[in-house]
Amino acid sequence: MSKPFVAVLMGSDSDLPTMQVTLEVLKGFGIRFEAKVTSAHRTPAATHAYVHDAEERGCKVFICAAGLAAHLAGAVAGITTRPVIGVPIDCGPLQGHDALLSTVMMPGGVPVATVAIGSAGAKNAGYLAAQILAVADDALAVAVKEERAKSAAVVEAKDAKLQEKLANL
């Protein structure tokens, strides 16, 4: 079997600007991914076929982004037992709140790990997929820990600058 990969599914091509950060996170960790536009409502048969095919080819995690009714993650979770991460897209009159509720309110036994609305959620989806894959990949686990340490160092450096400014007031 080939190296595991993550499938990043978007309900519309308009989701790509938000999901670009997901792809960057995955690429930064050296995680193979595929990105595809598919719809739970407009192309359900194609979505179903892709999920089955992706599983057979080594997909270990699905990240599904959608706005408005946002049924893509739930539809994918109904097809696969692989982890599904839902990213609610911040669009429409409710700015993603409808997508959040559509993504997170799954029936018992068909989970979708739902992240925040918009770009912060998209970034976290990439990190969560990396953490899921890191369960079976020690080198990836080390890389995730190192990235977390870099993030902490950035915050500590910002605090040091703040403390310096405060001391000079």
Side-chain angles (χ1 to χ4, degrees):
M1 185 181 290
S2 63
K3 186 176 178 184
F5 70 95
V6 173
V8 180
L9 307 180
M10 295 169 272
S12 170
D13 63 342
S14 64
D15 300 336
L16 182 57
T18 299
M19 296 306 293
Q20 187 65 41
V21 69
T22 305
L23 305 179
E24 291 167 5
V25 168
L26 295 172
K27 187 175 180 179
F29 283 118
I31 296 171
R32 280 191 334 118
F33 64 85
E34 295 179 2
K36 182 172 184 62
V37 174
T38 191
S39 171
H41 301 120
R42 293 180 295 270
T43 60
T47 300
H48 197 277
Y50 175 78
V51 170
H52 281 296
D53 179 63
E55 279 186 327
E56 288 177 9
R57 293 183 296 108
C59 180
K60 298 299 182 191
V61 180
F62 291 89
I63 298 174
C64 301
L68 305 172
H71 293 134
L72 184 57
V76 170
I79 299 167
T80 184
T81 57
R82 301 276 192 242
V84 176
I85 303 166
V87 181
I89 299 296
D90 50 348
C91 64
L94 300 179
Q95 292 301 299
H97 289 90
D98 47 353
L100 172 64
L101 293 175
S102 295
T103 305
V104 77
M105 294 303 298
M106 291 297 297
V110 188
V112 170
T114 306
V115 294
I117 297 168
S119 61
K123 185 173 187 176
N124 280 341
Y127 280 99
L128 183 55
Q131 288 178 235
I132 290 167
L133 294 174
V135 169
D137 183 336
D138 290 339
L140 182 57
V142 168
V144 170
K145 284 180 184 180
E146 288 172 351
E147 180 64 26
R148 185 76 59 94
K150 287 179 192 174
S151 293
V154 168
V155 171
E156 291 166 355
K158 288 179 181 182
D159 180 56
K161 285 183 181 180
L162 173 65
Q163 297 308 317
E164 185 179 314
K165 284 181 184 179
L166 292 174
N168 294 323
L169 285 182

